[in-house]
Amino acid sequence: MNKKKRYINLDNMGLIIIGTGVSFFYYYFEKTILASPDLTIFITVGIILLISLFTQLLINNVNRSQEALREANETLEEKVRERTAELRESEMKYRTIFENTGAATIIVENDMIISLANSEFANISGFEKNEIEHVKSWLHFIDEKTQRKIRNGEAVPDPLEPGQIVPNFDCKFIDKDSIQKDMLCTLAAIPGSDKSVVSLADITELKEAERQISHQAFHDTLTNLPNRALFIEHLTMAVKRAKRRDDYRFAVLYLDIDRFKLVNDSLGHSVGDSLLEAFASRIQASLRDIDTLARFGGDEFVILLEDIENSEYASGVADRLQQELKRPFMVEGKEVFAPASFGVVLNTKDYNQPEDIIRDSDAAMYHAKENGKAQYKVFDKTLHKKASHLLQRETDLRKSIHRNEFENHYQPIVDLRTSSLVGFESLIRWNHPQLGLIYPDSFISIAEETGLIVPITQLIAQQACEDLCHWQKQLKDQLKLTMNINISSKHFQSPTLLDEIKEILGTTGMPPEQLKLEITETALMEDADETIRLVHRLKDFGIKLVIDDFGTGYSSLSYLQRLPIDALKVDRSFVSRIKNEPDGNRNIVEAIISLAHRLNMTVVAEGVETEEQLAILLEMNCQFGQGYLFSKPLSKPNVDKLIVNILQVSQEDPHACLSLPAMLSN
Ligand code: C2E
Ligand code: CA
Ligand code: CA
């Protein structure tokens, strides 16, 4: 303020001096040119005063303008200062954000050169910031595939759309030491510039987890081999390749370990699992890298042999593998053998679906098993015919349940001493709408494999119990008959069997002691502990159990002793060969009968066809039998007639002989 005043004073002084100077000049001018000195003085003073006055006014004005100007200037400066501070603050803010996005972030110029990189980016890249900024292109840090994508403009924000964000994409980030990391990349154009901001988030762990999940989806956890899904993928490629290239051949081998269940049941699941692992690695070691070995679950493995020269090569591999499997495996200190049956399919251009190839190799494997175990079978035209025939049968079988196309035939079981009726064995027949009557041997195995045996057995057991109740009602106390029903081994293992039987007995009102379930030795041997429990529960409920086809399986006698079994049925194959000479067969049958009696079981001889057989069986103390000698299996109307005959004869003479052949011929 003081400074300002002094300026004004100095200004005024200058002006007074100038004004005074001008006045003196005028004074001399007047004195030399004009006459009156008094007037001159007067005018001079007046001029001085006027000039001073104007000057002062002028100065005042100038000062005022200057001050206004200064003030404006100062306000402007203040504003600039404020703006600069604001800008600095905002830049700081953005820098802080840029530094701390949590992701590696860079600003990329139009020519892909990085103009700014945050510390995280420097960190993950392994370079210093000054080695990156204005030096490196950002393409330097990413894999070739992503580079291509960016060069093609696929992963570049559109400059015409400021702020546009390119959809996130995965890329491989390559650091200073050429180590690759999985990154999720986000790209956005910076509004009002031709720069973009790129931020990268490390997703290596996520990707690893993803890889593990997809590995699990395509691999078997026990053996780490490819599973069915991955195998089908490989096979699909092979089928396509074979269609494209004439010289490309492949083969599929389906492997199933023979009697693996026995290993599992006798040595435990942990030995079973270790055996599967050892089996897998032995097979794997015998294959080439390009082949695929997959585990389809359980003890089933499938091999895809790729790019093979000819079909002999596949047979050669099958031979070699069979040889390999002849050596035992050492599992948990135990020597275990694991021979396997193989089914082989050689590629033909007929196949379009990998599933068909697998189905056929599986079918061939089954045939190999049927021919005796530890063999291989190549799928050929005859098997193909058989396979499609089986498929048709399976389809028909499914339909037949809804239409109830089954009927029971009943084969009488007789007391051998009197040939009189004691009960029936229910034998199923399928009344096919086109093919007529089909015998069980042609469809029971399909029904077992497909699980259709369960509903089928329910249907026939219901029918058999209803029929027996009906006949028993007619017979009153005249005779007490039993009904034998065949239960397949697969069904016997089902946990619902007892409840199914109870329900049938409940609805038909049949007393449980009149029901006998026929099961094979193999069914009883399947899962010893579980079987013993089930057999006891059935027994407690009053149902009787019969071992069917005895002598054809491999039951241990000490095991049989532990089971409350009511009867043994001696298989037809033994009965048909007993003659009146003391040969091997006769001895076997005799041994079976005496064993059964010792175990408090009755014996039923199956397939008695001749008087000679009957005589020998009687000699051996065999109590019961069934066979063509007495009666073939009878249809229901024929049993109706038989019951009527029995009733008639016994009414006429209560002590008459009710020998079956006589009753039937009536
Ligand atoms: P299986 O239980 O051994 O039945 C006896 C088979 O021998 C019956 O054949 C019967 O007709 C036949 N047979 C009876 N006596 C003689 C004879 O003196 N000589 C000859 N050569 N054969 C005789 P089928 O009815 O063809 O039954 C075959 C097999 O099918 C049965 O053998 C049984 O294992 C099975 N099966 C029959 N019905 C059923 C059923 O309802 N359920 C189940 N799971 N299997 C059944
Ligand atoms: Ca039977
Ligand atoms: Ca039998």
Side-chain angles (χ1 to χ4, degrees):
M1 255 319 222
N2 284 346
K3 228 180 182 178
K4 211 196 277 180
K5 261 220 165 93
R6 211 166 57 229
Y7 281 134
I8 291 168
N9 288 345
L10 279 177
D11 291 347
N12 288 352
M13 282 292 285
L15 286 168
I16 288 165
I17 290 165
I18 293 165
T20 316
V22 171
S23 302
F24 277 116
F25 173 72
Y26 184 73
Y27 175 71
Y28 283 112
F29 174 74
E30 284 284 303
K31 225 160 89 172
T32 45
I33 296 165
L34 294 171
S36 171
D38 296 338
L39 189 67
T40 303
I41 288 170
F42 181 75
I43 292 170
T44 304
V45 171
I47 288 171
I48 290 170
L49 283 174
L50 266 173
I51 288 173
S52 300
L53 192 74
F54 273 116
T55 312
Q56 194 57 50
L57 275 173
L58 206 71
I59 285 168
N60 282 354
N61 255 345
V62 168
N63 278 348
R64 233 175 291 145
S65 309
Q66 262 183 350
E67 204 159 332
L69 208 64
R70 223 177 342 260
E71 268 172 22
N73 213 15
E74 271 173 16
T75 326
L76 208 65
E77 270 176 15
E78 188 71 19
K79 281 237 165 86
V80 168
R81 262 196 305 278
E82 276 173 19
R83 250 339 252 140
T84 316
E86 261 175 33
L87 274 174
R88 206 165 287 142
E89 196 181 315
S90 139
E91 207 211 311
M92 280 288 286
K93 218 185 320 181
Y94 283 114
R95 245 182 205 281
T96 316
I97 294 172
F98 184 73
E99 268 300 327
N100 300 293
T101 47
T105 310
I106 46 174
I107 306 283
V108 176
E109 301 295 311
N110 201 18
D111 56 1
M112 301 288 164
I113 293 291
I114 300 172
S115 55
L116 202 64
N118 71 358
S119 308
E120 180 61 20
F121 187 90
N123 254 349
I124 61 157
S125 70
F127 288 101
E128 295 296 325
K129 274 191 192 174
N130 59 7
E131 293 176 291
I132 303 170
E133 288 171 352
H134 305 292
V135 180
K136 288 211 155 43
S137 157
W138 103 269
L139 300 182
H140 173 90
F141 295 99
I142 49 178
D143 61 301
E144 264 178 43
K145 196 175 142 202
T146 320
Q147 283 182 23
R148 234 174 293 131
K149 217 162 141 182
I150 290 172
R151 286 209 186 90
N152 293 345
E154 277 172 56
V156 178
D158 185 351
L160 296 177
E161 269 190 66
Q164 181 214 19
I165 295 177
V166 177
N168 291 345
F169 58 90
D170 294 359
C171 72
K172 292 258 184 243
F173 182 85
I174 302 156
D175 73 5
K176 197 177 176 180
D177 302 323
S178 304
I179 293 172
Q180 298 206 348
K181 290 186 181 113
D182 287 301
M183 294 280 172
L184 184 71
C185 183
T186 314
L187 261 158
I190 299 178
S193 76
D194 54 1
K195 301 167 203 253
S196 24
V197 55
V198 179
S199 94
L200 297 158
D202 192 339
I203 49 165
T204 314
E205 277 177 26
L206 205 78
K207 279 268 159 187
E208 185 46 37
E210 222 175 79
R211 263 189 286 273
Q212 269 175 23
I213 291 168
S214 83
H215 183 86
Q216 271 165 24
F218 287 106
H219 290 82
D220 164 50
T221 37
L222 178 71
T223 58
N224 208 25
L225 289 177
N227 63 8
R228 191 185 186 99
L230 187 54
F231 186 85
I232 288 189
E233 252 180 43
H234 287 200
L235 189 54
T236 309
M237 306 290 280
V239 171
K240 282 188 185 153
R241 221 168 289 141
K243 289 226 181 280
R244 269 201 319 268
R245 280 173 42 195
D246 271 345
D247 60 334
Y248 179 83
R249 284 181 190 81
F250 66 86
V252 170
L253 275 69
Y254 204 109
L255 278 68
D256 186 291
I257 302 179
D258 299 329
R259 296 212 181 91
F260 176 72
K261 210 172 176 316
L262 224 64
V263 173
N264 245 352
D265 290 348
S266 54
L267 301 175
H269 285 267
S270 125
V271 172
D273 282 357
S274 308
L275 177 65
L276 289 173
E277 285 174 86
F279 182 91
S281 48
R282 190 180 291 178
I283 299 283
Q284 184 85 77
S286 323
L287 300 174
R288 301 164 305 164
D289 284 348
I290 57 164
D291 301 328
T292 307
L293 169 65
R295 181 175 173 227
F296 274 24
D299 58 344
E300 295 182 9
F301 294 83
V302 188
I303 302 170
L304 170 63
L305 298 176
E306 292 219 48
D307 216 352
I308 56 173
E309 269 173 29
N310 47 39
S311 50
E312 284 78 49
Y313 180 85
S315 317
V317 172
D319 273 329
R320 188 154 43 82
L321 293 178
Q322 297 254 341
Q323 272 319 106
E324 281 289 320
L325 295 176
K326 282 194 176 146
R327 283 189 291 121
F329 290 91
M330 275 308 283
V331 183
E332 296 184 8
K334 293 183 183 77
E335 229 181 39
V336 188
F337 285 89
S341 304
F342 299 7
V344 183
V345 167
L346 302 166
N347 89 287
T348 65
K349 302 223 179 316
D350 311 341
Y351 286 112
N352 289 316
Q353 298 299 327
E355 283 82 3
D356 294 348
I357 301 176
I358 293 169
R359 181 202 60 212
D360 289 351
S361 60
D362 189 13
M365 185 274 292
Y366 263 99
H367 283 270
K369 265 203 202 294
E370 275 174 12
N371 288 349
K373 303 189 184 247
Q375 292 197 5
Y376 72 86
K377 170 98 188 128
V378 179
F379 190 83
D380 54 19
K381 283 233 156 57
T382 44
L383 275 189
H384 180 74
K385 237 187 185 162
K386 213 164 172 180
S388 46
H389 160 81
L390 285 179
L391 202 70
Q392 184 58 48
R393 185 136 294 180
E394 184 190 324
T395 317
D396 287 355
L397 205 54
R398 286 184 192 280
K399 291 182 194 156
S400 70
I401 296 172
H402 295 288
R403 301 187 192 142
N404 196 358
E405 291 169 356
F406 302 102
E407 61 181 74
N408 288 355
H409 281 207
Y410 300 102
Q411 186 172 38
I413 298 173
V414 298
D415 183 327
L416 290 179
R417 274 166 304 218
T418 56
S419 296
S420 59
L421 182 70
V422 294
F424 296 100
E425 174 180 5
S426 157
L427 294 162
I428 189 172
R429 305 288 179 257
W430 175 11
N431 217 337
H432 193 285
Q434 281 90 41
L435 304 172
L437 216 58
I438 301 180
Y439 284 80
D441 285 340
S442 332
F443 66 89
I444 289 289
S445 59
I446 306 173
E448 284 177 345
E449 268 168 40
T450 50
L452 294 171
I453 191 70
V454 175
I456 291 175
T457 308
Q458 279 169 350
L459 284 176
I460 61 119
Q462 176 81 26
Q463 187 63 53
C465 293
E466 270 173 27
D467 289 346
L468 189 88
C469 287
H470 170 70
W471 297 320
Q472 192 62 63
K473 222 182 243 165
Q474 287 176 290
L475 289 168
K476 299 198 183 88
D477 291 336
Q478 189 74 42
L479 275 176
K480 190 127 193 223
L481 298 179
T482 52
M483 179 59 79
N484 288 24
I485 290 171
N486 290 287
I487 303 290
S488 85
S489 62
K490 287 249 168 72
H491 194 182
F492 191 67
Q493 288 151 32
S494 134
T496 53
L497 178 71
L498 182 64
D499 291 333
E500 288 162 22
I501 304 263
K502 277 185 185 169
E503 194 183 332
I504 290 169
L505 293 177
T507 53
T508 56
M510 173 148 137
E513 61 275 9
Q514 281 179 279
L515 179 64
K516 293 188 177 184
L517 300 184
E518 292 194 9
I519 42 185
T520 59
E521 284 169 90
T522 4
L524 285 175
M525 296 300 291
E526 285 289 351
D527 181 349
D529 293 339
E530 191 47 44
T531 302
I532 292 172
R533 262 196 299 278
L534 176 62
V535 168
H536 278 281
R537 282 168 67 206
L538 287 165
K539 184 82 193 161
D540 290 346
F541 193 65
I543 296 164
K544 297 202 169 76
L545 283 167
V546 177
I547 300 185
D548 204 359
D549 306 338
F550 189 82
T552 58
Y554 45 91
S555 47
S556 90
L557 299 179
S558 59
Y559 173 62
L560 281 188
Q561 235 169 338
R562 293 160 62 195
L563 295 173
I565 305 287
D566 292 280
L568 289 185
K569 287 184 96 170
V570 181
D571 192 62
R572 195 172 75 222
S573 58
F574 293 105
V575 175
S576 66
R577 282 177 289 160
I578 45 169
K579 294 201 181 72
N580 218 355
E581 303 112 37
D583 68 348
N585 266 309
R586 187 188 164 121
N587 289 347
I588 292 175
V589 176
E590 229 167 356
I592 293 173
I593 293 170
S594 70
L595 162 85
H597 287 161
R598 243 182 294 139
L599 296 177
N600 271 335
M601 298 177 191
T602 54
V603 179
V604 185
E606 288 188 308
V608 185
E609 290 180 348
T610 64
E611 291 288 350
E612 189 191 13
Q613 288 163 354
L614 171 64
I616 299 167
L617 288 165
L618 281 171
E619 242 175 65
M620 292 174 176
N621 260 330
C622 182
Q623 248 179 303
F624 302 100
Q626 68 187 90
Y628 295 171
L629 178 66
F630 313 104
S631 165
K632 288 201 165 181
L634 304 170
S635 65
K636 188 183 168 191
N638 283 337
V639 179
D640 283 336
K641 275 190 214 150
L642 170 70
I643 300 294
V644 170
N645 284 348
I646 292 175
L647 277 171
Q648 226 169 22
V649 174
S650 56
Q651 262 167 19
E652 281 165 16
D653 174 7
H655 304 290
C657 168
L658 295 174
S659 160
L660 204 66
M663 295 298 112
L664 285 168
S665 59
N666 251 351

